[in-house]
Amino acid sequence: PGMCLPIEDGGIGFDYRLGMGLPDMWIKAVKGQDQFWDINKMWGDMCLRRPGEGTIAYVESHDQALVGDKTMIFRLADAAMYTDMNKDCHNPVIDRAIALHKMIRLFTLAGGGEGYLNFMGNEFGHPEWIDFPREGNGWSFHYCRRQWSLKNNGFLKYEWLNEFDKDMVKVTKENGMFNQQMADMMLMKAPEQTCAFYRGGLLFVFNFHFCNSLNNVLVPVHQPGEYTVILSSDDPKYGGFGNVKMQTYSTKLFDGKHYIELYIPARTCFVLKEKVILPPPAAAEAPAEAEAPKKTTRKRTTKKAAEEAPAAEAAAEEKPKRKRTTKKAAEETAPVEEAPKKTTRKRTAKKATE
């Protein structure tokens, strides 16, 4: 601790440190079956670094390439590398190895640090180790080499791995992914071994499950707009099966949050580029424009009321007179009508008595 802190803060002043726990984590993972991988824990290992210190993430270095150890591709494919790496050969062991090799490297690059390290030849899965001349090998130079022809001859699957590694580094550099120090986890479905995280304008989607492809997955995003697939490990030019379409997905709004709906095939990863599309400013100004007619209406109403004021006052003066006249007429009329009736009834009763 402190190796990468500034000298004035008591550190040594280095810019970056190696994330040496990541290779150990991957070696432990590939020794077992991938259907039992805990991607929640794997993501925790990616994020296990001190804030403020630059970390170089890597899957393997010269340590794994030297004699006595195994490279990542050799741990995944083992002896089948020597017989089934022709492009016209289909072997489920090789298919699994190639798919996971691409996913492991992209997962580490995108989530493991602020820089990325690769050892020469490992990007395309060099099948042999490195052994410098020494007494134990009879001072031989046979394994003191890197066979670049394996990726260049056009007949072997090493070319697929090399092209994917080159393009994934290009995508992250062109979009300034490392400008955001830590990625934002957007979706974690540990039982399905699927996750999606956002970093530097890019959305990374992974499905490590060996057979469970997911349909209609709603992945949360920060901003409304469009998300375009720009890199896919399932692209045929990288040895994939073409199950991920290189298309654009528009966001959908549910409960006030923005999502994109994706199909995520098994043992596949892909990257989407964000294009933020905010509501147009005219929509926000619409209410202010709608108030204008109301103001005009109020002005016209006031003017009209002012013109009709004398007539209204005259009507108000006449109205009480009509009420008083009606009341007076009612008082005068009622006794005249009722008096004869009462008198008649009394006289009739007196006459009947007599």
Side-chain angles (χ1 to χ4, degrees), residues 205 213-217 243-244 249 261-266 270:
V205 182
S213 298
L214 303 181
N215 290 297
N216 308 112
V217 180
N243 292 322
V244 176
Y249 297 89
E261 187 174 356
L262 300 176
Y263 168 62
I264 312 177
F270 52 95

Side-chain angles (χ1 to χ4, degrees), residues 2 4-6 17 47-55 114 181-182:
C4 295
L5 291 178
R17 57 180 290 273
C47 300
L48 192 60
R49 55 186 191 271
R50 288 184 291 272
E53 291 187 0
T55 300
E114 290 70 46
Q181 184 177 18
M182 299 291 289

Side-chain angles (χ1 to χ4, degrees), residues 35 37-40 188-194 209 212:
Q35 58 262 40
W37 287 0
D38 183 355
I39 66 166
N40 204 0
M188 173 61 73
K189 299 172 72 68
E192 292 84 358
Q193 295 181 303
T194 300
H209 202 279
N212 187 19

Side-chain angles (χ1 to χ4, degrees), residues 5 42 53 63 86 99 137 202 222 251 253 287 325:
L5 291 178
M42 289 161 53
E53 291 187 0
D63 291 335
N86 291 325
N137 64 11
L202 300 174
H222 288 309
T251 55
L253 188 63
T325 304

Side-chain angles (χ1 to χ4, degrees), residues 90-109:
H90 298 284
N91 183 330
V93 174
I94 295 297
D95 291 343
R96 171 184 177 271
I98 289 178
L100 291 179
H101 190 271
K102 292 181 288 188
M103 296 183 70
I104 288 172
R105 300 180 84 81
L106 182 60
F107 194 76
T108 305
L109 167 65

Side-chain angles (χ1 to χ4, degrees), residues 92-147:
V93 174
I94 295 297
D95 291 343
R96 171 184 177 271
I98 289 178
L100 291 179
H101 190 271
K102 292 181 288 188
M103 296 183 70
I104 288 172
R105 300 180 84 81
L106 182 60
F107 194 76
T108 305
L109 167 65
E114 290 70 46
Y116 182 68
L117 171 69
N118 173 69
F119 183 69
M120 55 181 182
N122 288 4
E123 70 274 12
F124 64 86
H126 196 285
E128 293 179 342
W129 56 88
I130 293 177
D131 191 10
F132 293 100
R134 55 187 175 85
E135 184 177 2
N137 64 11
W139 306 104
S140 172
F141 284 84
H142 180 72
Y143 291 107
C144 186
R145 61 179 180 173
R146 294 277 91 176
Q147 300 184 66

